[in-house]
């Protein structure tokens, strides 16, 4: 039972990628990965701080883990990730069952902290680094079809609402060659798709190479794989990158481009460093350069001082861009950020109403876009059996939409196939192979 680790991951894809790093580090030191929490004596939660509700989820999980600790007093319970970085030793003081707290740049020292915890001491590692990229660590991945690779860490943008620069530190990029090698080895293992991850991938920079160079190198190195990437910042999305996406067949024509708000006044208060006019021009330009490009976005409802007029401007932008999908949130004040000093003056009922209007509009747009795909051809990667029926496969289009097709002996999970769409809801396409 000793040295059996169980990790639960919360938050963004970065955190899921970090969990694979942590597993890589621990496996190399002889730890075993438990499939089930009951088999584990080391339980780690890789946590998110982006909004208050993300943290509340962890607190209730910790309350539940009290029972585990009661049954197994020797169990080590650790908090990793953004909450570890944000709350540091307060977490250990407030939550007595927590034995170690390790932030995103100190994962190499995790085995050391676990040893301390075995000796009854509490371990805290929350130093942020300007250079740590875990370049030499091979993440532990189960066999599969899709993988993510973090190509940079941290963020220097300092959007006024966001904790990430504080929890993940300054921006730094990984060695391009090591990323390309990792993509190649994933292809050899049979992976079919990789997503390059960073808080702001467009500011990737390694020796003289930028993100467009990195994407092109990955696309060339693994021609049988689909290459995706996230997240792009509207200020840094270059023409060169758009041309690169257009040039390579295996780079998905899909850009996640968070707008956050449609009001220039709010964008300025958010320190987003672009105007809505710049943003819309960028969308137009991308559509010219990349035929069939689709977009998704992030939107925050109820930022301090947001008026109904600002909110209407956000709805207007959604109507103009017609996003394929959106992640939509209520503003949540985060201690330590610049916006935290502003009064959180939009009442919760108003935030909820605005958020619901945003969600309803997006649902309507997604439905309309999906209806317009009926009769069209799409290439999908078959990922799994459909959740609802073994008679169907579930796959994904280039633009990341789920597409259900009948199961058939002529294709299998892991194949790319061409389908014609014959039915659609706002969230799902249904197709027939051609
Ligand atoms: N409140 C609400 N949403 C936030 N996001 C980041 N910080 C906050 C916050 N304090 C959203 C942004 C970002 C996404 C990852 O989370 O939309 O793009
Ligand atoms: Fe990811 Fe941000 Fe949450 Fe950290 S706070 S896990 S970077 S979404």
């Amino acid at each position: 039972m000793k040295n059996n680790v169980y990790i639960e991951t919360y938050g963004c894809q970065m955190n899921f990628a970090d969990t694979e790093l942590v597993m890589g580090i621990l496996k190399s030191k002889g730890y075993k990965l438990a499939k089930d929490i009951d088999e584990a004596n080391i339980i780690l939660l890789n946590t998110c701080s982006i909004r208050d509700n993300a943290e509340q989820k962890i607190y209730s999980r910790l309350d539940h883990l009290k029972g585990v600790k009661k049954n197994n007093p020797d169990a080590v319970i650790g908090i990793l990730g953004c909450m570890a970085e944000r709350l540091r030793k307060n977490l250990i003081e407030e939550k007595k069952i927590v034995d170690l707290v390790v932030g995103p740049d100190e994962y190499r020292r995790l085995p050391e902290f676990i040893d301390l915890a075995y000796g009854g001491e509490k371990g805290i590692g929350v130093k942020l680094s300007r250079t740590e990229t875990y370049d030499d660590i091979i993440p532990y991945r189960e066999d599969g079809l899709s993988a993510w690779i973090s190509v940079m860490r941290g963020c220097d943008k300092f959007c006024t609402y966001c904790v990430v620069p504080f929890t993940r530190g300054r921006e730094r990029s990984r060695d391009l060659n090591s990323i390309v090698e990792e993509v190649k080895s994933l292809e050899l293992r049979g992976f079919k798709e990789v997503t390059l991850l960073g808080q702001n991938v467009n500011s990737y920079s390694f020796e003289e190479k930028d993100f467009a160079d990195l994407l092109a190198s990955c696309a060339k190195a693994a021609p049988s794989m689909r290459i995706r990437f996230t997240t792009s910042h509207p200020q840094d999305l270059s023409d060169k990158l758009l041309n690169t996406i257009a040039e390579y067949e295996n780079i998905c024509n899909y850009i996640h481009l968070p707008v956050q708000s449609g009001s220039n006044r709010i964008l300025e208060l958010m320190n987003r460093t672009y105007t809505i006019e710049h943003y819309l021009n960028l969308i137009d330009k991308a559509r010219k350069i990349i035929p069939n490009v689709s977009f998704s976005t992030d939107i925050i409802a109820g930022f301090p001082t947001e008026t109904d007029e600002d909110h209407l401007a956000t709805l207007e932008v959604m109507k103009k861009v017609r996003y394929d999908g959106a992640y939509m949130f209520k503003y949540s004040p985060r201690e330590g950020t610049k916006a935290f000093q502003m009064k959180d003056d939009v009442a919760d009922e108003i935030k909820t109403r605005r958020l619901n209007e945003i969600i309803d509009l997006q649902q309507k747009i997604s439905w309309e876009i999906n209806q317009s795909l009926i009769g069209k051809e799409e290439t999908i990667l078959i990922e799994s059996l459909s959740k609802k029926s073994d008679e169907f496969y579930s796959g994904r289009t280039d633009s990341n939409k789920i597409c259900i097709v009948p199961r058939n002996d002529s294709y299998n999970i892991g194949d790319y196939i061409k389908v014609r769409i014959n039915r659609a809801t706002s969230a799902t396409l249904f197709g027939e192979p051609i």
Side-chain angles (χ1 to χ4, degrees):
M1 169 100 170
K2 205 156 158 118
N3 286 351
N4 252 345
V5 187
Y6 184 80
I7 311 185
E8 284 176 10
T9 310
Y10 299 81
C12 63
Q13 284 169 317
M14 278 291 206
N15 256 18
F16 284 82
D18 276 0
T19 290
E20 293 177 342
L21 269 178
V22 166
M23 294 196 295
I25 291 169
L26 293 177
K27 287 254 324 174
S28 74
K29 299 278 182 208
Y31 289 84
K32 289 195 197 66
L33 302 176
K35 287 255 175 286
D36 196 292
I37 196 163
D38 299 328
E39 294 166 12
N41 65 315
I42 303 162
I43 298 164
L44 304 174
L45 309 185
N46 193 0
T47 61
C48 174
S49 288
I50 197 91
R51 285 168 290 276
D52 186 56
N53 54 11
E55 293 196 347
Q56 293 312 321
K57 219 191 262 171
I58 302 296
Y59 285 127
S60 50
R61 189 66 187 135
L62 281 175
D63 285 340
H64 175 83
L65 290 179
K66 269 188 202 147
V68 173
K69 191 102 169 179
K70 209 179 247 164
N71 293 337
N72 177 10
D74 293 332
V76 169
I77 294 184
I79 301 287
L80 313 180
C82 291
M83 257 176 103
E85 194 61 50
R86 197 176 88 74
L87 300 167
R88 303 172 171 225
K89 71 176 190 324
N90 298 348
L91 260 177
I92 284 187
E93 280 160 12
E94 276 168 32
K95 296 282 159 188
K96 301 278 180 266
I97 64 161
V98 173
D99 301 297
L100 50 97
V101 172
V102 184
D105 286 346
E106 293 248 64
Y107 293 148
R108 283 179 200 272
R109 295 179 63 201
L110 200 50
E112 196 186 308
F113 293 125
I114 293 175
D115 283 344
L116 275 181
Y118 281 150
E121 272 180 68
K122 305 269 178 179
I124 304 181
V126 290
K127 259 212 227 83
L128 288 171
S129 157
R130 285 185 176 260
T131 52
E132 178 64 276
T133 57
Y134 299 107
D135 225 7
D136 54 316
I137 306 254
I138 302 172
Y140 174 79
R141 295 186 178 96
E142 305 268 343
D143 284 330
L145 299 174
S146 288
W148 34 67
I149 299 186
S150 76
V151 302
M152 53 192 303
R153 303 183 68 84
C155 182
D156 285 354
K157 285 285 177 205
F158 288 95
C159 302
T160 57
Y161 48 79
C162 188
V163 320
V164 172
F166 306 99
T167 59
R168 287 187 165 268
R170 296 288 61 72
E171 201 169 271
R172 64 221 104 114
S173 298
R174 251 183 85 178
D175 181 326
L176 181 138
N177 305 304
S178 86
I179 297 167
V180 172
E181 284 312 309
E182 199 170 329
V183 171
K184 277 196 210 155
S185 72
L186 287 168
E187 187 185 38
L188 279 178
R189 269 181 71 186
F191 280 83
K192 301 288 179 183
E193 182 181 82
V194 66
T195 306
L196 307 182
L197 296 177
Q199 301 300 339
N200 172 22
V201 287
N202 309 111
S203 54
Y204 176 86
S205 157
F206 178 75
E207 294 175 345
E208 302 287 291
K209 305 283 206 271
D210 62 15
F211 186 65
D213 298 323
L214 174 67
L215 258 189
S217 304
C218 293
K220 274 188 279 198
S224 76
M225 284 174 94
R226 249 182 195 172
I227 317 281
R228 299 185 183 279
F229 58 95
T230 196
T231 292
S232 297
H233 190 291
Q235 193 200 356
D236 306 326
L237 188 77
S238 67
D239 291 7
K240 180 176 168 191
L241 179 60
L242 296 175
N243 285 311
T244 305
I245 300 170
E247 187 180 336
Y248 291 89
E249 188 62 31
N250 60 330
I251 301 177
C252 287
N253 296 340
Y254 172 79
I255 306 176
H256 181 62
L257 196 65
V259 69
Q260 312 297 1
S261 166
S263 151
N264 281 333
R265 190 181 67 82
I266 296 291
L267 287 174
E268 191 165 350
L269 289 175
M270 289 176 162
N271 189 32
R272 287 294 286 176
T273 66
Y274 53 84
T275 61
I276 253 336
E277 293 72 24
H278 168 90
Y279 183 93
L280 292 172
N281 276 334
L282 193 56
I283 297 267
D284 279 348
K285 189 159 63 178
R287 287 195 159 129
K288 283 199 189 102
I289 297 177
I290 314 165
N292 285 326
V293 64
S294 51
F295 294 97
S296 59
T297 200
D298 293 344
I299 295 175
I300 298 176
F303 188 81
T305 76
E306 187 187 71
T307 61
D308 272 330
E309 198 185 328
D310 296 318
H311 167 62
L312 288 178
T314 298
L315 298 176
E316 264 330 289
V317 168
M318 295 172 69
K319 288 181 200 157
K320 283 193 182 132
V321 178
R322 296 179 63 78
Y323 295 102
D324 275 63
Y327 302 88
M328 300 155 283
F329 315 103
K330 273 199 244 183
Y331 171 69
S332 167
R334 309 312 290 134
E335 203 175 344
T337 61
K338 218 158 170 202
F340 193 74
Q341 294 159 21
M342 302 175 71
K343 201 163 152 237
D344 180 20
D345 59 356
V346 179
D348 193 57
E349 311 88 78
I350 297 182
K351 281 186 191 166
T352 305
R353 174 179 58 77
R354 289 181 188 162
L355 179 64
N356 285 337
E357 287 174 14
I358 291 168
I359 292 172
D360 289 348
L361 175 59
Q362 183 52 46
Q363 182 132 1
K364 176 169 167 279
I365 293 171
S366 296
W367 190 85
E368 287 168 1
I369 292 179
N370 287 354
Q371 297 307 306
S372 75
L373 293 175
I374 293 176
K376 299 249 162 71
E377 270 181 33
E378 294 276 344
T379 301
I380 66 165
L381 168 63
I382 304 177
E383 292 181 336
S384 58
L385 288 176
S386 152
K387 272 189 221 131
K388 293 201 179 135
S389 155
D390 283 359
E391 309 275 295
F392 291 86
Y393 281 130
S394 172
R396 237 170 243 274
T397 65
D398 199 275
S399 58
N400 217 14
K401 292 175 194 287
I402 292 181
C403 180
I404 306 293
V405 290
R407 200 168 159 186
N408 177 321
D409 287 340
S410 54
Y411 45 83
N412 279 307
I413 292 173
D415 289 346
Y416 281 104
I417 60 165
K418 276 210 156 49
V419 299
R420 191 177 307 284
I421 307 303
N422 54 22
R423 191 160 73 81
T425 66
S426 63
T428 312
L429 304 174
F430 297 85
E432 283 290 337
I434 3 188

